[in-house]
């Protein structure tokens, strides 16, 4: 019987193969005899993403951002109703890895009753950036949510201007990206200057880093910190090329390169070659500018982080902040293998990096920033619980200023003018209007983070600990977040002094507390 069964299966396989071959032959004959149908087929394939996005996909099926997530960002940016009715449509009962936030019945923080009460909150960082290392221009970031690195060149000038104006309205930081500090970055927003491998804006005619030009640049612009980009989550270990056709006069001026010539970003830095020389360069930049200096990196080989923390613990040199970029983060263009499979996703990568600092007693001295789809409140709350002090938003900020997730960033044909250098397409993006929408989105995200913190019984999202989040293992079990990533008690929180100070800041202003009515005479307490 077993032999007969195998023969039957083999027979079915042969029949299927013949049927498939016949189907392909018929398709080729049809396309050969009716070429219009052939062109129609490729037309339908080219607009497949749009057809799926608007007609086929469900509310939670699309990637990287679902329809529900985009709707929340769009509605928040326009100050429309961003609530959802009827209850969750997420499959949380059967989704392993789903994060659930544990609210507290009685907590230290007693929030105002109205859910929109925190709509105008600034929500500063719980840590002073550069304070522990005594940098001359150390400061407390005014917002725990800031605009991530997106270069002029990858984005249009109008988009960069909208982001900078929006950051100014929202009182948050705007990272320049590695493409240099352009005229579009000078519309009122405070800046984090990112230095990539090509040192755009701070290089001489031969492409070498020029310290004098860096000093002049930060002296003439509202630069609050310097970030050395080691790698990016969506394409770690790669260099890049901006084709000559895209190197306009504006881009050439911002980057310090020749107009109309291929603009190359090397895959590695020339100013340092190992962790020891990296720390020397960090201290040089900090001494010359007085600014906090940090690094941005995706997470792969942990040997780098182990050596970094060992040298910081033993030599007195160190970075002021660490930006960890998750592998689920975005990019303008990258090979598919890099976007899909190189570098760890945010939670796993960040937890490993934080643990390396915590084991050597350094976590309280460093400001941690997270990136990689953290512009959604649920993801951001988990990031804060793991030890982030601030989060950066990139694609969510793009959505707020008009991006429709067309995924044309690499083609220079972005239909909304966000990720293109095509002047005709970019002309449709109004920076004055879109900057307000970005500010609205940032304010809404901060409001939601504060409301969740208050539901957890604390005054600030940076005080949410790993015990406030559980990770579902399926329908019948869950694991506390700290246990998932091997955290020790107290990990993920600022120092006691920083916690006390941020509580003081958050409770300094008089605001209504508790319920809508005063306690009755026979209230129990």
């Amino acid at each position: 019987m077993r032999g007969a069964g195998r023969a039957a299966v083999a027979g079915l396989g042969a029949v299927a193969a013949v049927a498939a071959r016949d189907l392909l032959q018929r398709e080729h004959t049809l396309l050969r005899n009716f070429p219009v149908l052939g062109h129609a087929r490729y037309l339908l394939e080219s607009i497949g993403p749009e057809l799926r996005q608007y007609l086929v996909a469900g509310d939670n099926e699309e990637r990287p951002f679902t329809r529900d997530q985009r709707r929340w960002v769009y509605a928040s940016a326009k100050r429309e109703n961003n609530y959802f009715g009827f209850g969750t449509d997420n499959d949380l009962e059967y989704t392993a890895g789903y994060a659930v936030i544990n609210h507290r019945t009685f907590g230290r923080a007693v929030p105002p009753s109205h859910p929109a009460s925190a709509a105008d909150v600034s929500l500063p960082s719980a840590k002073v950036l550069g304070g522990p290392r005594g940098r001359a221009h150390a400061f407390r970031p005014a917002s725990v949510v800031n605009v991530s690195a997106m270069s002029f060149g990858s984005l249009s000038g109008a988009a960069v201007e909208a982001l900078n104006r929006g950051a100014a309205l929202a009182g948050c930081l705007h990272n320049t990206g590695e493409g240099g500090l352009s005229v579009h970055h000078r519309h009122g927003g405070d800046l984090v200057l990112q230095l990539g491998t090509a040192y755009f804006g701070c290089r001489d005619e031969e492409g070498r880093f020029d310290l004098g030009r860096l000093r002049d640049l930060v002296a003439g612009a509202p630069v609050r910190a310097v970030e050395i980009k080691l790698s990016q989550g969506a394409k770690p270990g790669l260099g890049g090329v901006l084709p000559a056709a895209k190197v306009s006069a504006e881009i050439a001026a911002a980057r310090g390169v020749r107009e109309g010539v291929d603009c190359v970003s090397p895959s590695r830095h020339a100013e340092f070659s190992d962790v020891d020389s990296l720390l020397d360069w960090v201290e040089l930049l900090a001494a010359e500018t007085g600014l906090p200096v940090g690094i941005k990196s995706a997470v792969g080989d942990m040997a780098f982080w182990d050596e970094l923390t060992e040298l910081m613990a033993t030599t007195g040199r160190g970075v002021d902040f660490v930006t960890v970029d998750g592998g689920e983060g975005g990019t303008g263009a990258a090979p598919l293998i890099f976007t899909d499979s190189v570098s760890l996703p945010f939670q796993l990568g960040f937890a490993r990096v934080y643990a390396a600092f915590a084991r050597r007693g350094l976590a309280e001295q460093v400001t941690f920033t997270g990136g990689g789809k953290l512009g959604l409140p649920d993801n951001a709350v988990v990031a804060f619980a793991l030890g982030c002090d601030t989060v950066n938003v990139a694609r969510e900020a793009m959505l707020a200023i008009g991006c429709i997730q067309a995924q044309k960033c690499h083609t220079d044909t972005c239909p909304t003018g966000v990720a293109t250098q095509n002047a005709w397409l970019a002309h449709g993006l109004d920076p004055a209007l879109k900057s307000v929408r970005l500010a609205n989105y940032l304010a809404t995200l901060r409001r939601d983070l504060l409301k969740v913190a208050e539901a957890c019984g604390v005054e600030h999202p940076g005080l949410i600990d790993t015990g406030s989040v559980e990770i579902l293992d399926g329908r019948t079990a869950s694991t506390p977040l700290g246990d998932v990533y091997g955290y020790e008690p107290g990990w993920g929180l600022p120092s006691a002094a920083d916690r006390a100070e941020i509580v003081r800041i958050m409770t300094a202003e008089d605001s209504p507390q508790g319920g809508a009515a005063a306690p009755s005479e026979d209230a129990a307490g």
Side-chain angles (χ1 to χ4, degrees):
M1 291 298 292
R2 291 181 181 175
R6 283 195 296 269
V9 171
L12 287 173
V15 170
V18 171
R21 185 176 66 246
D22 289 344
L23 183 62
L24 287 173
Q25 288 174 346
R26 280 191 225 130
E27 180 186 18
H28 291 157
T29 301
L30 186 65
L31 295 178
R32 186 171 59 250
N33 294 332
F34 300 94
V36 173
L37 292 178
H39 290 298
R41 170 194 176 187
Y42 293 115
L43 173 62
L44 290 172
E45 181 180 348
S46 69
I47 63 173
E50 288 82 1
L51 290 174
R52 290 190 295 274
Q53 179 175 345
Y54 290 105
L55 300 177
V56 179
D59 288 341
N60 290 300
E61 291 177 351
E62 296 176 60
R63 305 288 293 176
F65 293 93
T66 69
R67 190 190 304 271
D68 276 352
Q69 290 168 341
R70 296 199 313 277
R71 176 190 153 196
W72 178 80
V73 173
Y74 294 146
S76 299
K78 297 174 184 178
R79 303 196 79 170
E80 296 175 350
N81 184 351
N82 64 357
Y83 282 26
F84 289 73
F86 207 64
T88 182
D89 55 5
N90 291 346
D91 188 16
L92 59 93
E93 306 101 309
Y94 297 100
T95 303
Y98 195 98
V100 174
I101 301 163
N102 292 328
H103 71 283
R104 293 182 182 174
T105 304
F106 301 108
R108 192 174 64 231
V110 183
S113 297
H114 196 283
S117 58
D120 58 351
V121 70
S122 61
L123 207 57
S125 169
K127 290 180 182 174
V128 174
L129 186 59
R133 307 199 69 78
R135 306 304 188 196
H137 300 303
F139 70 104
R140 183 185 302 276
S143 172
V144 297
V145 180
N146 299 290
V147 178
S148 191
M150 293 175 280
S151 299
F152 172 50
S154 177
L155 299 191
S156 67
V160 174
E161 180 181 340
L163 293 175
N164 191 256
R165 289 182 182 273
L169 290 172
C172 70
L173 298 168
H174 178 197
N175 192 304
T176 64
E178 63 179 306
L181 200 164
S182 71
V183 295
H184 307 291
H185 290 98
R186 298 174 181 267
H187 291 278
D190 283 346
L191 300 171
V192 174
L193 176 66
Q194 187 179 87
L195 295 180
T197 55
Y199 311 118
F200 292 131
C202 308
R203 50 190 267 157
D204 63 17
E205 289 72 15
E206 302 300 322
R208 297 170 298 196
F209 174 73
D210 188 321
L211 184 59
R213 295 189 185 191
L214 172 65
R215 285 195 298 261
D216 292 342
L217 188 64
V218 301
V223 176
R224 305 298 305 276
V226 175
E227 180 179 80
I228 301 167
K229 179 182 176 182
L230 302 179
S231 59
Q232 180 178 344
K235 51 181 179 184
L238 281 184
V241 177
L242 190 65
K246 292 185 178 182
V247 184
S248 65
E250 280 189 329
I251 290 175
R255 298 192 176 200
V257 299
R258 287 186 294 166
E259 180 182 355
V261 177
D262 285 345
C263 181
V264 178
S265 297
S267 62
R268 298 291 186 274
H269 280 268
E271 295 302 294
F272 51 88
S273 57
D274 54 21
V275 178
D276 189 55
S277 54
L278 164 63
L279 288 176
D280 283 341
W281 203 55
V282 166
E283 294 297 342
L284 171 67
L285 299 185
E288 292 291 332
T289 65
L291 298 173
V293 179
I295 58 173
K296 174 181 179 176
S297 181
V299 181
D301 177 22
M302 285 302 298
F304 164 78
W305 300 100
D306 291 336
E307 185 175 358
L308 174 65
T309 52
E310 180 181 359
L311 287 176
M312 285 181 61
T314 57
T315 69
R317 298 168 296 160
V319 297
D320 297 294
F321 65 95
V322 172
T323 302
V324 174
D325 200 23
E328 64 270 59
T331 180
L336 184 63
I337 179 63
F338 278 82
T339 59
D340 283 356
S341 302
V342 183
S343 86
L344 292 172
F346 171 76
Q347 287 186 26
L348 186 56
F350 180 84
R352 291 184 182 180
V353 170
Y354 182 90
F357 280 85
R359 279 193 293 268
R360 290 181 169 85
L362 298 170
E364 295 178 352
Q365 302 175 27
V366 175
T367 292
F368 290 100
T369 298
K373 296 184 72 173
L374 301 184
L376 304 170
D378 51 345
N379 292 344
V381 167
V382 176
F384 282 110
L386 286 171
C388 277
D389 302 294
T390 64
V391 295
N392 283 346
V393 297
R395 287 171 296 177
E396 301 91 334
M398 292 168 62
L399 291 171
I401 65 170
C403 170
I404 59 171
Q405 195 171 282
Q407 297 178 294
K408 304 286 187 183
C409 313
H410 60 299
T411 66
D412 203 36
T413 59
C414 171
T416 59
V418 175
T420 181
Q421 295 306 306
N422 183 304
W424 185 80
L425 292 170
H427 181 70
L429 195 159
D430 179 3
L433 171 64
K434 299 301 185 179
S435 62
V436 174
R437 291 190 176 176
L438 173 64
N440 290 339
Y441 156 71
L442 294 170
T444 302
L445 177 56
R446 290 192 301 232
R447 179 204 70 190
D448 283 6
L449 292 175
L450 182 57
K451 302 311 289 184
V452 172
E454 291 171 339
C456 293
V458 294
E459 300 85 355
H460 186 277
L463 305 181
I464 298 173
D465 60 20
T466 55
S468 296
V469 181
E470 294 190 38
I471 304 300
L472 300 185
D473 301 322
R475 184 176 179 83
T476 60
S478 67
T479 306
L481 181 66
D483 292 349
V484 170
Y485 293 113
Y487 272 35
E488 296 180 10
W491 284 13
L493 291 172
S495 68
D498 284 337
R499 294 198 300 271
E501 179 61 13
I502 197 62
V503 169
R504 186 196 67 77
I505 292 172
M506 296 303 297
T507 57
E509 297 182 4
D510 293 332
S511 59
Q513 297 283 301
S520 67
E521 293 183 358
D522 55 353

